[in-house]
Amino acid sequence: MTVTLDSDTRFHAACAAGVEWGPTVKACLDRLGPVAGCNLGFLYLTDGLAEHATSIVTLLRGVTGIRHWVGTAGIGVMANGAALFDEPGLAIMAARLPEDSFRLFPTLTDGLEPLRGSAGGWLDKHGAALALVHVDPHHADMAGLVSRLSEEAGVFLVGGLTASRGEFPQIAAGAEDGDPVTDGGVSGVLFAPNLPVATALTQGCRPIGPTRTVTASDDNVILEIDGRPALDVFKEDIGPELAADLRQVSGLICAGLPIAGSDTQDYLVRDLIAIDPRAGWISIAERVTTGQPVMFTRRDRETAAADMRRMLDSLKKRVKATPKGAVYVSCIARGPSLFGAANAELSMIRETFGDIPLTGFFASGEVSHNRLYGYTGVLTLFL
């Protein structure tokens, strides 16, 4: 998606690690530098500090004078070229944006009424091209809520699912007069069409074998593909070396579910859950239906790096000016477990776009357009 900020627009980003939230916030603010005139803050906490989210937001609002804050918790957070993964810490980005170019909305759990109540008038006046959203993974209908928000508000979504072993804070301070930190749904910030942005997604996988058809299924179990036992087709597509020892496919091979109507040949990547060598079926982490297209994908460091660079090169061709700021959301299964270093993706972004202010987090699922993804990276540039 592609939609120059005025010369007065600016971004600052920084991160800091620490087990004590007060000193960690101070250290981060010291690195952030002056924020006078900034009117929107992005706050990402690693889950080690998630329980202190309300206190941290309250302190930040008081010290910086920035009333509006959005964010959530992740297993890791990032700022500029640094990433903190699986250690207590936080990342902050402060932005000075044109007045009326953004509007926060509170946590949505059952429908869009809170959005209409807090931002309905603003939407009627300005409309929205993009929304940065944070999703509580405990919500029973995450995918449905994300889809309805995109379609009913007419907005392209980017963001991710909170990743935490403790609390799941949804930060939308300034959306209304209530608690600035909640949980249980989807919250975020809407950006007006006059705020130019560019966003893109990297899958981190490559298809192996052709796109096939599920010809028999039961919930998330694929019984037959192209009229043959699913496992026979699976072994054929992954090749004889992996087929000889199926224990090798865990974490390496996934199912790809092509998205109907996509003009970019997009697909959802889902884990393999179980394989039954006797019955010949495979089970994946998504409900499938008979007649649905399916393919298999390979995921490794080289493939993910190549697709990341492909995405960045494509985005670079669409972006004529140096970005003024960025938000990057990466899957927790990427980061150091895939690339070997927590900041590997940030290094690739900086190689392409230079030393731009950036913040983001490692999520338990990613949001792009109107759906949830896994194993992906979603980059959003403010131009």
Side-chain angles (χ1 to χ4, degrees):
M1 172 192 175
T2 303
V3 181
T4 331
L5 300 180
D6 61 57
S7 59
D8 201 32
T9 297
R10 62 179 185 269
F11 292 79
H12 309 271
C15 64
V19 295
E20 299 293 333
W21 69 267
T24 305
V25 172
K26 182 181 185 304
C28 194
L29 288 174
D30 289 344
R31 297 171 186 173
L32 191 67
V35 296
C38 291
N39 52 3
L40 177 62
F42 303 79
L43 171 62
Y44 294 111
L45 312 166
T46 59
D47 61 341
L49 295 181
E51 63 180 308
H52 304 295
T54 298
S55 297
I56 291 172
V57 171
T58 301
L59 177 60
L60 287 173
R61 295 176 86 178
V63 171
T64 65
I66 301 173
R67 178 171 177 261
H68 302 287
W69 289 85
V70 296
T72 190
I75 297 300
V77 300
M78 59 191 82
N80 304 324
L84 307 173
F85 197 91
D86 203 16
E87 62 176 312
L90 55 86
I92 295 172
M93 185 164 73
R96 179 170 180 170
L97 301 178
E99 293 298 327
D100 277 344
S101 66
F102 68 91
R103 180 59 58 92
L104 276 67
F105 61 91
T107 300
L108 312 176
T109 55
D110 299 318
L112 303 189
E113 287 308 315
L115 172 68
R116 298 187 184 100
S118 64
W122 182 88
L123 275 170
D124 290 341
K125 181 179 179 181
H126 301 281
L130 182 84
L132 173 64
V133 298
H134 306 110
V135 185
D136 189 326
H138 293 144
H139 193 281
D141 185 23
M142 295 180 296
L145 191 55
V146 164
S147 178
R148 290 195 301 275
L149 173 59
S150 175
E151 293 170 7
E152 295 185 30
V155 63
F156 191 105
L157 305 181
V158 295
L161 276 62
T162 303
S164 176
R165 289 156 294 198
E167 298 188 16
F168 289 72
Q170 306 291 299
I171 301 166
E176 53 187 12
D177 294 331
D179 191 338
V181 179
T182 58
D183 58 18
V186 179
S187 64
V189 56
L190 301 158
F191 295 105
N194 66 351
L195 194 70
V197 299
T199 182
L201 173 145
T202 174
Q203 287 279 11
C205 299
R206 65 177 172 85
I208 52 174
T211 299
R212 300 182 179 276
T213 302
V214 176
T215 48
S217 64
D218 181 10
D219 195 29
N220 67 330
V221 176
I222 303 176
L223 301 170
E224 292 184 1
I225 297 175
D226 293 346
R228 299 163 54 198
L231 186 56
D232 289 353
V233 177
F234 177 74
K235 288 181 176 180
E236 181 179 303
D237 285 353
I238 64 176
E241 182 178 343
L242 291 176
D245 183 1
L246 292 176
R247 292 172 297 181
Q248 301 176 82
V249 305
S250 178
L252 178 66
I253 305 298
C254 300
L257 303 176
I259 296 172
S262 172
D263 58 2
T264 58
Q265 298 183 323
D266 204 1
Y267 55 90
L268 301 177
V269 178
R270 294 296 184 258
D271 281 327
L272 301 177
I273 295 177
I275 294 174
D276 189 325
R278 293 182 180 179
W281 54 254
I282 60 176
S283 174
I284 70 172
E286 183 81 12
R287 185 178 183 275
V288 292
T289 57
T290 299
Q292 182 174 357
V294 65
M295 58 185 177
F296 298 105
T297 67
R298 183 183 179 103
R299 176 179 170 270
D300 53 35
R301 181 184 301 184
E302 292 73 20
T303 297
D307 194 66
M308 180 83 176
R309 290 195 169 91
R310 177 207 56 78
M311 179 270 283
L312 291 170
D313 289 344
S314 175
L315 196 53
K316 179 73 170 179
K317 293 176 183 177
R318 293 158 48 197
V319 174
K320 304 307 179 183
T322 300
K324 297 190 175 183
V327 174
Y328 185 58
V329 180
S330 182
C331 181
I332 56 175
R334 293 167 67 90
S337 64
L338 180 60
F339 292 103
N343 68 341
E345 293 164 275
L346 302 180
S347 295
M348 286 185 272
I349 293 171
R350 289 161 74 85
E351 287 171 8
T352 305
F353 293 105
D355 185 13
I356 59 175
L358 176 150
T359 193
F361 73 111
F362 290 92
S364 60
E366 303 74 59
V367 178
S368 180
H369 191 195
N370 60 357
R371 58 184 64 92
L372 303 179
Y373 289 82
Y375 301 117
T376 62
V378 180
L379 178 62
T380 302
L381 304 175
F382 295 91
L383 308 177

